[in-house]
Structures are given as structure tokens and as C-alpha cells.
């Protein structure tokens, strides 16, 4: 999923676009490029690699001046990461230039048509086809750029967020979106405009933003403002300006070596911010507008279907245990990418909860649209305010984790579990499936979680020592039972995605049905063995591992002695209700993966081949 940035206004565009690309580099870092109009000429610099490589290339190749500029940081889909496939792409005439985030599915057939009309192509990308299609329409129909973009996009199948300008009319930039996110920042006096995949590239310049909806395009004119239209029928759309809630400090490292470490340490505050105003222990109530306003939907639901991807799917799995245990409602947890194509049975009596940090994950968005088309009620749990999934949902609840920049999700996971736990407790109260004393106990315990997370974070030094021991392992197993089985999956995912060590998470009891064959003195096994959850059963699993010489790293409740006597290493977490233990047991696993990846000199915040939000399928 690429990052796109643009600027048109009185300032120099180059520094704004380049700094903006650095803010969006978590979206893709295979190549980077920029196009500027310097008053006479269109200047383009692009290169395989990071934005820093682009700065180096640009300083040698182009005059970095001009008041209009567009830039791109790439996550390769069509065409390998190399200089020629990098964006921006210029049309055959050299007049039009484009940046694009998304995939044009019918680009091959469009390309063949254009070739028959004399167009030639340098790259293997779908995007170069699109800019030449726009050029061809502009010529054939003799229309302005905006109209040409609209006509061309009506011939396109796929997903896109694009920005295009014509060197002969540099006071105008045309943008459009379908499926991929696009925000426009409006300068205080409407005398300058910023274009970006999300607001982080322009929050230091303005708090006023317009989020384009699907199938919308905008013509942005210097000194003349913005005109938004529907791509399908060219109809005008009102411009809805939102005030941004995030600030610059939130998207900077704040003295930490990596965003991931900062975000791990932000979890006490993130969890507190997430339950603030919702968890009212004094009145022993939970108040969430999205739930209160739609309580009937939840109470009359035949089942709850949870759809998500990656770490968000793991949060959904924890929620399945919590909802079924507390609220006695059947829950199904679905990989969004499978659910959307499985022709699932969905009815109007289904509530679908879509979990997504970015709120832009294409498969989750498509799963929502499918369920909505069959009458299900859609409840979104997102972190990014104003994101596509938030806007597509019938109702929802934000996790207030603040911007999550590190590609490996951490604070989003624990705040997702916090929101889902609040919902389950509220439903249980409404359904009377929990006694008022139990309810109060859960509220008080949840309120204490941030303090207990702080305590768990104090094991950082010990976990560094343990990481040193196991950093060269080529495989890891993670085991957990009940609420902590999904945490085992999450721990394995964290290690895989940032250290590139192969790891698998398993229900502890499932080990005997296969994975136990992998165990020998070279296999580290992380076992979550907290006091209140099937403890004795987990202890027997540990003995089974020990008898095969596996190396055991136990995540245990403070004061544990039994596992301490069996394991090679133990990491303690404070005691809490088993149902809330995933909020604590996940912390040591996040830190273990972080320290191992740092020791292996991996790029922790931007792991290879990954991107923060997967906006294409
Ligand atoms: C997790 O660390 C990964 N970045 C990835 O699995 C992520 O959870 C997944 O892509 C879902 O993203 P979302 O929550 O933004 O929808």
C-alpha cells in the first residue's frame, strides 16, 4: 500500500512533499519519487529504495523548486521494485504526471488498446497505463484535465487514490479515490492545499481536512479552492471539512529508538484513553454511545460475526472467548479475506463487528460491504478517525490508541481488546448473564489494567537478556490455552513480522497432535501459563516439552513457583482475572520480538515486504 503526498500553494513544495513521504513510509518502502513544476519545466526524480535515497537522487538530478509537487512511496504490486517502476509516471507527451496507490485490474487490456494507438510504455506498472489513458482521453475528447480523469476512471476496474497534474496548467491538481484512502488538507486561508493518504504529512500545517469518499474526485485550484464531484456522473458533492484530532508530537518517536518501542510503552495511556468516559466504576456502568443507541440490534442478534485481518483478527479471537463467556452470545471469527469470497450465510439478525487499526484494510472493508448488502448490522472498531471502515459502518467505537506508526501492531491490539471487553461486559449486563457483583469486579479490575501493564513493562531488561539467548533460533513455538491461545498466535506473528524468524502459535493442548515433533534442544517454546487459566493443564504441557529437551520461556503470574521450577526462563506479569490476562501476557511477547529483531539488526518499524495498512487485496 503506497503513500501519496502532494502540495499546491505559495510555499516550496519539495520539502513539504519529502517530509510528508517520510511520515508515510510505513505504508510502503520499495521505492520513492517526486515530480515538481519549477515554473518552466516538469522535474521528476525517482529511485528504488527509501525516501532518503530519493533525497540523494533529487539533489543530484533536479532543481528542487516549484509550488506544486506530488510524491510517492511504494509498496510494489505490479512490477518489481526498481527505478523505472517507481512513481511518479509521466505520459508519453511528457505533459501529464501521476502518483497512484492501488491496483488497476484491467490495465493489460487498456495497455493493448493504447499500444494500437501508438502509445509506448517504459515500466511494467498499471499506473503508467492510467496516465496515458488520461492523456489519450484528453486529446481524443479535447477536454480539460478534470474531465479527462473522470472519463478515464470510468473505464478503469480496480482500486485507486491518485493525484495528477499537467505541466501546462500547474495551478491545478486533480485527485480521485476508489478503495484507497485520500485526505486533502486545506490551508488556514484556503490559499494552499495538501494531498495525502492520511493526515500525518500535513498536521503541522493545518487541522482542516477533507476525506474523499469512494468514487469521488476533486479538482484543486491554487487561489480558487476545491470542487468535489462524483466520478460516475460528474455530479457536484459538498465539501465537508473535518478538524483533525491528532498532533505532531503523537507521530514522532519521542526519544525512543523505534516507533514500535514507543507504542509498546504507550499502552498504559492508550488503554486508559480507550476506556475513559466509557468505564465508570463509581456508577458501576459502562457507557458507549454506539452500543447504547443500538442495544436492540445486539440483544436480538442471532450471532456476532467478527471480521478482521492479522493482529486485529487475533483481537477478534480473544473477543470470541470473552463474548461467549460473559454475554452468552454465539460468536464466529472470520478472516476477512476468506469471508468475503466464501459466499457466507448472513442474515439481518446478524451483527458484524469489523476490527481494523487503520480502518483501510481492503479485505475487511469488502467483508463489511458484503454483510451490509445482506442486511447485517455493521459495528466498526477502528483506531484511525474518519477512516473508510469507520465511515462504512452503521455504528462503532474508536480505540483511542493515538497514531500507530510501527508496522507491527502493538497498542492497537490491547486497545482493541479493551473496547471489545467493554462491549461484552455491557451486553452481559443488559442480558443479565453476569451478576452485579461480578460486573463490578470486572470493571474495577479493568480499571487497574494500565497500572499492571506498567508493571509488566518493567520486565524489559530481563526480556532483553532472554532475547540475547534465543536471538539465533531459527524457529519458535508459542503456546497458550483459552483466552491466551490468541495471544500465543499474536506473539508468533510479532516475532515473524519483525525478526523474520519462523514461529507458530498453537493451543497448548494441540501440541500433542503434531507440533511436538518439532521439539528438541534447539526449539524455544514460549508458554503462557497464568495462574487462573487451565494452569495445571498447561503445566503438564510444559512437562511434555521438557521431556523432549525443548527450551521453555514461561509467561507466568507474579509469585509463580511451579513453572519457575520447570522453565528455562520465566517472565512474570501481575495477577488479574483470566479474562483480562491477554492485556498483560501480550506485553512480554511484544518486547521479546522487539529485542530479538533489534539484536538481529532488522528494520523494526518498517519490516521487509510489509506495510501498515493493506489497502489492496
Ligand atoms: C500486524 O502487526 C500487522 N501490521 C498486520 O497483520 C495488521 O494487523 C493487519 O494488516 C490488519 O490491519 P488493520 O488492523 O489496520 O486492519
Amino acid at each position: 500500500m503506497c503513500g501519496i503526498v502532494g502540495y499546491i500553494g505559495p510555499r516550496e513544495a519539495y520539502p513539504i512533499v519529502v517530509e510528508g513521504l517520510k511520515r508515510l513510509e510505513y505504508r510502503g518502502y520499495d521505492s520513492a519519487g517526486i515530480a515538481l513544476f519549477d515554473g518552466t519545466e516538469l522535474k521528476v526524480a525517482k529511485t528504488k529504495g527509501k525516501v532518503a535515497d530519493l533525497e540523494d537522487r533529487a539533489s543530484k538530478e533536479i532543481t528542487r523548486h516549484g509550488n506544486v509537487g506530488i510524491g510517492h512511496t511504494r509498496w510494489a504490486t505490479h512490477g518489481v521494485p526498481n527505478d523505472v517502476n517507481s512513481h511518479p509516471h509521466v505520459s508519453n507527451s511528457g505533459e501529464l504526471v501521476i502518483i497512484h496507490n492501488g491496483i488497476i485490474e484491467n490495465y493489460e487490456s487498456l495497455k493493448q488498446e493504447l499500444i494500437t494507438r501508438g502509445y509506448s510504455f517504459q515500466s511494467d506498472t498499471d499506473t503508467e497505463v492510467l496516465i496515458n489513458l488520461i492523456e489519450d482521453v484528453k486529446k481524443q475528447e479535447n477536454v480539460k484535465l478534470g474531465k479527462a480523469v473522470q472519463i478515464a476512471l470510468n473505464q478503469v476496474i480496480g482500486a485507486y487514490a491518485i493525484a495528477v497534474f499537467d505541466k501546462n496548467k500547474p495551478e491545478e491538481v486533480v485527485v480521485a479515490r476508489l478503495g484507497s484512502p485520500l485526505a486533502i488538507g486545506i490551508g488556514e486561508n484556503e490559499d494552499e492545499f495538501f494531498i495525502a493518504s492520511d493526515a500525518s504529512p500535513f498536521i503541522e500545517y493545518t487541522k482542516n481536512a477533507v476525506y474523499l469518499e469512494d468514487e469521488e474526485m476533486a479538482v484543486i485550484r491554487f487561489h480558487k479552492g476545491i470542487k468535489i464531484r462524483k466520478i460516475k456522473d460528474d455530479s457536484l458533492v459538498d465539501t465537508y471539512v473535518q478538524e483533525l484530532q491528532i498532533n505532531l508530537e503523537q507521530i514522532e518517536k519521542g526519544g525512543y529508538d523505534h516507533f514500535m518501542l514507543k507504542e509498546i510503552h504507550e499502552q498504559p495511556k492508550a488503554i486508559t484513553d480507550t476506556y475513559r468516559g466509557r468505564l465508570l466504576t463509581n456508577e458501576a456502568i459502562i457507557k458507549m454511545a454506539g452500543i447504547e443507541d443500538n442495544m436492540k440490534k445486539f440483544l436480538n442478534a442471532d450471532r456476532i460475526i467478527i471480521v478482521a485481518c492479522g493482529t486485529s483478527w487475533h483481537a477478534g479471537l480473544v473477543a470470541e472467548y470473552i463474548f461467549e463467556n460473559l454475554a452468552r452470545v454465539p460468536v464466529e471469527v472470520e478472516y476477512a479475506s476468506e469471508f468475503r469470497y466464501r459466499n457466507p450465510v448472513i442474515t439481518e439478525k446478524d451483527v458484524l463487528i469489523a476490527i481494523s487499526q487503520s480502518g483501510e484494510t481492503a479485505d475487511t472493508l469488502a467483508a463489511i460491504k458484503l454483510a451490509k448488502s445482506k442486511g447485517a448490522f455493521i459495528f466498526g472498531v477502528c483506531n484511525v478517525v474518519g477512516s473508510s471502515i469507520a465511515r462504512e459502518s452503521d455504528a462503532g467505537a474508536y480505540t483511542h490508541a493515538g497514531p500507530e506508526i510501527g508496522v507491527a501492531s502493538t497498542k492497537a491490539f490491547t486497545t482493541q481488546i479493551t473496547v471489545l471487553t467493554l462491549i461484552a461486559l455491557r451486553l452481559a449486563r443488559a442480558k443479565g448473564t453476569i451478576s452485579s457483583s461480578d460486573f463490578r469486579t470486572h470493571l474495577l479490575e479493568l480499571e487497574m489494567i494500565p497500572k499492571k501493564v506498567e508493571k509488566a513493562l518493567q520486565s524489559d531488561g530481563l526480556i532483553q537478556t532472554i532475547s540475547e539467548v534465543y536471538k539465533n533460533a531459527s524457529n519458535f513455538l508459542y503456546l497458550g490455552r483459552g483466552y491466551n491461545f490468541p495471544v500465543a498466535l499474536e506473539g508468533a506473528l510479532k516475532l515473524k513480522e519483525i525478526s523474520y524468524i519462523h514461529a507458530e502459535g498453537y493451543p497448548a493442548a494441540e501440541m500433542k497432535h503434531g507440533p511436538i515433533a518439532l521439539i528438541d534442544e534447539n526449539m524455544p517454546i514460549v508458554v503462557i501459563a497464568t495462574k487462573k487459566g487451565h494452569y495445571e493443564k498447561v503445566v503438564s504441557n510444559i512437562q511434555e516439552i521438557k521431556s523432549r529437551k525443548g527450551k521453555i520461556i514461561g509467561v507466568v503470574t507474579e509469585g509463580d513457583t511451579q513453572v519457575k521450577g520447570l522453565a528455562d526462563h520465566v517472565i512474570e506479569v501481575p495477577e488479574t482475572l483470566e479474562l483480562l490476562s491477554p492485556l498483560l501476557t501480550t506485553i512480554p511477547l511484544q518486547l521479546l520480538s522487539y529485542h530479538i529483531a533489534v539484536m538481529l539488526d532488522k528494520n523494526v518499524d518498517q519490516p521487509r515486504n510489509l506495510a501498515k495498512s493493506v489497502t489492496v487485496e
Side-chain angles (χ1 to χ4, degrees):
M1 321 344 88
C2 311
I4 65 172
V5 179
Y7 174 79
I8 181 166
R11 303 178 212 228
E12 282 292 332
Y14 179 82
I16 293 171
V17 172
V18 168
E19 286 314 309
L21 288 177
K22 287 181 187 162
R23 295 248 168 89
L24 291 183
E25 208 163 21
Y26 66 83
R27 300 178 61 86
Y29 24 89
D30 289 329
S31 66
I34 186 166
L36 297 161
F37 182 72
D38 69 359
T40 47
E41 271 310 314
L42 178 64
K43 298 291 182 186
V44 177
K46 55 185 187 175
T47 178
K48 180 177 177 334
K50 305 257 170 154
V51 179
D53 304 309
L54 169 64
E55 286 181 291
D56 184 43
R57 171 75 64 97
S59 67
K60 294 187 187 109
E61 291 183 2
I62 61 169
T63 53
R64 289 158 289 164
H65 296 302
N67 304 113
V68 58
I70 55 177
H72 185 271
T73 177
R74 184 173 187 233
W75 190 87
T77 51
H78 289 87
V80 296
N82 61 20
D83 293 358
V84 77
N85 286 334
S86 312
H87 297 212
H89 287 282
V90 180
S91 62
N92 275 200
S93 69
E95 293 170 3
L96 308 186
V97 62
I98 190 171
I99 49 174
H100 167 219
N101 169 27
I103 290 182
I104 309 295
E105 288 165 21
N106 61 334
Y107 82 105
E108 270 301 353
S109 55
L110 293 169
K111 187 173 184 175
Q112 293 318 316
E113 242 174 87
L114 288 165
I115 288 172
T116 60
R117 285 211 284 279
Y119 285 83
S120 60
F121 295 88
Q122 321 300 319
S123 77
D124 313 318
T125 67
D126 48 347
T127 309
E128 192 187 5
V129 174
L130 179 54
I131 194 63
N132 282 303
L133 177 65
I134 294 168
E135 173 147 282
D136 191 54
V137 170
K138 194 168 179 290
K139 277 201 197 120
Q140 305 288 338
E141 312 288 331
N142 190 20
V143 289
K144 290 190 179 142
L145 180 62
K147 191 69 191 165
V149 169
Q150 190 221 345
I151 296 168
L153 290 179
N154 279 313
Q155 299 174 34
V156 153
I157 299 166
Y160 52 77
I162 60 170
V164 183
F165 75 84
D166 176 349
K167 75 169 192 175
N168 304 316
K169 206 159 186 250
E171 67 282 6
E172 179 186 282
V173 176
V174 177
V175 297
R177 78 153 284 186
L178 175 60
S180 304
L182 197 142
I184 304 169
I186 303 177
E188 299 311 325
N189 320 315
E190 293 219 1
D191 65 348
E192 58 183 355
F193 303 92
F194 306 82
I195 298 149
S197 299
D198 66 38
S200 57
F202 57 72
I203 47 167
E204 70 197 275
Y205 301 104
T206 178
K207 290 263 184 262
N208 305 322
V210 173
Y211 288 92
L212 273 198
E213 295 291 349
D214 262 350
E215 300 178 56
E216 287 183 356
M217 59 179 289
V219 176
I220 304 170
R221 287 200 188 85
F222 190 19
H223 288 319
K224 292 212 180 93
I226 302 181
K227 268 223 171 45
I228 303 179
R229 294 176 183 279
K230 277 279 173 210
I231 295 168
K232 265 211 172 48
D233 59 15
D234 208 25
S235 57
L236 269 177
V237 177
D238 293 340
T239 305
Y240 169 54
V241 180
Q242 298 183 35
E243 191 181 341
L244 296 169
Q245 305 302 327
I246 53 175
N247 60 50
L248 195 54
E249 194 225 323
Q250 287 179 300
I251 60 165
E252 297 195 324
K253 281 193 194 136
Y256 286 90
D257 292 346
H258 298 99
F259 282 108
M260 183 181 179
L261 188 62
K262 175 192 175 211
E263 289 152 9
I264 290 173
H265 283 273
E266 281 178 337
Q267 290 179 101
K269 179 176 180 307
I271 293 169
T272 309
D273 291 347
T274 296
Y275 67 45
R276 182 176 292 112
R278 294 166 166 171
L279 173 66
L280 310 171
T281 44
N282 297 342
E283 297 106 286
I285 59 168
I286 287 174
K287 218 165 65 181
M288 299 173 80
I291 297 294
E292 297 311 322
D293 302 347
N294 302 287
M295 184 58 84
K296 263 223 191 78
K297 286 273 179 199
F298 279 89
L299 293 178
N300 301 336
D302 287 346
R303 63 184 168 165
I304 292 177
I305 304 169
I306 297 178
V307 292
C309 303
T311 288
S312 296
W313 185 81
H314 293 150
L317 216 48
V318 174
E320 178 181 33
Y321 285 79
I322 296 176
F323 274 92
E324 294 199 343
N325 183 15
L326 284 180
R328 309 306 297 149
V329 54
V331 173
E332 291 168 19
V333 184
E334 303 279 355
Y335 279 119
S337 54
E338 286 300 313
F339 180 80
R340 63 180 293 189
Y341 289 121
R342 198 187 68 225
N343 190 19
V345 178
I346 304 168
T347 75
E348 281 146 22
K349 292 207 70 188
D350 288 329
V351 166
L352 183 131
I353 297 182
I355 310 171
S356 175
Q357 186 287 126
S358 61
E360 301 296 348
T361 300
D363 285 321
T364 308
L365 196 51
I368 289 175
K369 289 182 176 162
L370 171 70
K372 213 172 177 175
S373 71
K374 296 182 185 276
F377 175 74
I378 311 297
F379 191 90
V381 175
C382 296
N383 192 46
V384 176
V385 175
S387 58
S388 306
I389 289 174
R391 295 199 311 272
E392 191 68 34
S393 302
D394 300 311
Y398 284 118
T399 54
H400 298 299
E404 188 177 70
I405 312 261
V407 167
S409 187
T410 53
K411 60 179 181 174
F413 180 60
T414 47
T415 53
Q416 285 162 351
I417 294 172
T418 303
V419 161
L420 294 159
T421 305
L422 288 168
I423 298 171
L425 281 165
R426 180 68 192 89
L427 283 189
R429 200 77 194 99
K431 292 182 71 174
T433 53
I434 188 170
S435 68
S436 48
S437 62
D438 269 359
F439 183 67
R440 181 179 279 281
T441 307
H442 282 78
L443 266 55
L444 291 169
E445 196 53 46
L446 184 55
E447 194 173 47
M448 288 195 276
I449 287 291
K451 276 264 165 301
K452 294 187 174 182
V453 170
E454 269 166 28
K455 189 90 189 326
L457 288 166
Q458 286 163 14
S459 302
D460 197 11
L462 164 66
I463 296 166
Q464 233 168 328
T465 313
I466 296 171
S467 303
E468 189 62 45
V469 176
Y470 296 106
K471 69 175 191 287
N472 296 320
S474 38
N475 294 287
F476 266 73
L477 263 184
Y478 288 73
L479 303 177
R481 274 183 183 251
Y483 298 104
N484 283 300
F485 156 51
V487 177
L489 292 175
E490 177 57 12
L493 175 62
K494 287 283 98 62
L495 189 72
K496 278 185 271 200
E497 63 182 326
I498 61 172
S499 75
Y500 318 151
I501 295 174
H502 176 248
E504 287 193 73
Y506 263 89
E510 199 50 29
M511 177 186 65
K512 289 194 285 298
H513 305 283
I516 195 165
L518 297 169
I519 296 177
D520 60 19
E521 61 282 1
N522 305 315
M523 174 66 88
I525 299 108
V526 177
V527 186
I528 303 166
T530 44
K531 257 280 176 288
K532 294 199 178 127
H534 317 288
Y535 181 71
E536 294 310 328
K537 305 236 180 291
V538 177
V539 169
S540 351
N541 295 134
I542 289 175
Q543 280 154 340
E544 288 151 9
I545 297 166
K546 204 155 177 56
S547 57
R548 278 119 187 128
K549 302 194 174 53
K551 293 286 178 286
I552 299 157
I553 303 164
V555 176
V556 300
T557 305
E558 257 166 10
D560 178 288
T561 52
Q562 206 177 348
V563 174
K564 200 172 264 177
L566 290 166
D568 300 85
H569 301 275
V570 289
I571 305 164
E572 295 186 331
V573 295
E575 179 146 11
T576 186
L577 301 170
E578 189 57 16
L579 180 144
L580 298 176
S581 65
L583 291 166
L584 301 179
T585 55
T586 198
I587 307 297
L589 307 191
Q590 294 168 344
L591 288 167
L592 184 71
S593 63
Y594 171 78
H595 287 302
I596 288 177
V598 169
M599 289 169 186
L600 295 174
D601 203 20
K602 302 299 181 194
N603 186 330
V604 168
D605 283 338
Q606 296 172 354
R608 71 183 184 197
N609 305 342
L610 283 177
K612 184 65 186 167
S613 69
V614 183
T615 53
V616 291
E617 62 170 300

